[in-house]
Amino acid sequence: MFQKIKKLFIKETFPCIVWDGKIIRYLTLNQKQIDQMTKQGLNVTKKDEC
């Protein structure tokens, strides 16, 4: 039961490639951060989708 409660507080993160047109960055982001970056016009690709 403790493990189930613990999972609620752990954010799932994904290894991502972020591209702004000039610089590629390799970051670990959660889904909320990915959504914010795409709204800013950055290209974000999860590494498992490559």
Side-chain angles (χ1 to χ4, degrees):
M1 176 143 174
F2 178 72
Q3 293 298 327
K4 290 181 181 180
I5 294 171
K6 186 177 175 183
K7 286 182 183 180
L8 293 174
F9 296 102
I10 297 175
K11 294 181 181 179
E12 185 177 9
T13 58
F14 308 97
C16 299
I17 300 169
V18 180
W19 170 253
D20 67 359
K22 297 177 185 175
I23 300 171
I24 295 176
R25 294 188 182 107
Y26 299 92
L27 304 172
T28 302
L29 305 170
N30 62 35
Q31 189 61 47
K32 185 176 180 180
Q33 292 170 317
I34 292 170
D35 294 340
Q36 289 173 347
M37 291 184 133
T38 53
K39 285 181 185 177
Q40 294 174 2
L42 299 172
N43 293 325
V44 179
T45 304
K46 294 178 185 174
K47 280 192 174 180
D48 59 343
E49 295 175 358
C50 294

